[in-house]
Amino acid sequence: MTKADLPAVGALAGELVRLHHGFDARRFFLEPGVEDGYRWFFDRQLGRPGVVLLGAELEGQVAGYVYGSVEARDWARLLDRHGAIHDVFVASTFRRRGVARALVAAGLRALEAAGAPQVVLSSAVQNREAQALFRSMGFRETMVELTRTAG
């Protein structure tokens, strides 16, 4: 991914946020200008050691992206050093063409090359298609997040 890709990737990230917000608006926040926020955030992540930001291009357009990072030992999550895939998203017009699988595979290779002995990710419980993809790529279920809203 390059700086030139950031406007398109920011737009895709906004779609990802809206998807999650649509799943559960009490769990996933949606800020005005979320695309600008993601573009700003990813601009600061580009080139950082241990950060993986990859885009997929099809038909001259950014079709999707993956964002991950190598993380240190996390006592709260009982995880030794690991890679984390934070985002995977493919534009609806490019789905069912192997783009997500290619992005995840490339992200895994990059995280493992950066020293991640294992890779974890989370998926919205409603996103069964993504979970099936992840399982088919060797991921196994290990945790379930439960959320309680105060009040």
Side-chain angles (χ1 to χ4, degrees), residues 112-147:
E112 289 167 2
Q118 66 178 338
V119 177
V120 298
L121 55 75
S122 297
S123 173
V125 69
Q126 299 90 334
N127 199 344
R128 288 177 173 59
E129 284 186 56
Q131 294 162 26
L133 169 68
F134 301 143
R135 278 189 218 95
S136 78
M137 297 184 75
F139 286 88
R140 66 188 187 282
E141 293 178 10
T142 54
M143 295 293 294
V144 175
E145 177 184 89
L146 299 158
T147 302

Side-chain angles (χ1 to χ4, degrees), residues 27-38:
R27 164 58 178 87
F28 300 101
F29 72 81
L30 175 61
E31 289 287 322
V34 69
E35 295 84 359
D36 292 333
Y38 256 97

Side-chain angles (χ1 to χ4, degrees), residues 31-48:
E31 289 287 322
V34 69
E35 295 84 359
D36 292 333
Y38 256 97
R39 190 169 51 248
W40 174 87
F41 176 71
F42 285 158
D43 184 46
R44 276 134 193 86
Q45 297 301 304
L46 281 172
R48 288 188 60 203

Side-chain angles (χ1 to χ4, degrees), residues 14-105:
E15 287 185 49
L16 177 63
V17 171
R18 285 180 184 79
L19 174 70
H20 283 88
H21 185 74
F23 287 151
D24 186 340
R26 293 182 300 163
R27 164 58 178 87
F28 300 101
F29 72 81
L30 175 61
E31 289 287 322
V34 69
E35 295 84 359
D36 292 333
Y38 256 97
R39 190 169 51 248
W40 174 87
F41 176 71
F42 285 158
D43 184 46
R44 276 134 193 86
Q45 297 301 304
L46 281 172
R48 288 188 60 203
V51 171
V52 173
L53 272 168
L54 304 172
E57 186 176 306
L58 286 175
E59 301 169 8
Q61 298 179 55
V62 176
Y65 76 97
V66 63
Y67 162 52
S69 59
V70 177
E71 304 290 329
R73 175 178 269 191
D74 183 337
W75 280 92
R77 296 178 64 201
L78 300 177
L79 278 168
D80 265 331
R81 179 179 167 86
H82 63 284
I85 294 179
H86 305 292
D87 289 359
V88 179
F89 190 77
V90 175
S92 60
T93 56
F94 296 107
R95 292 187 187 146
R96 301 236 170 258
R97 294 168 68 176
V99 177
R101 181 177 296 278
L103 282 167
V104 172

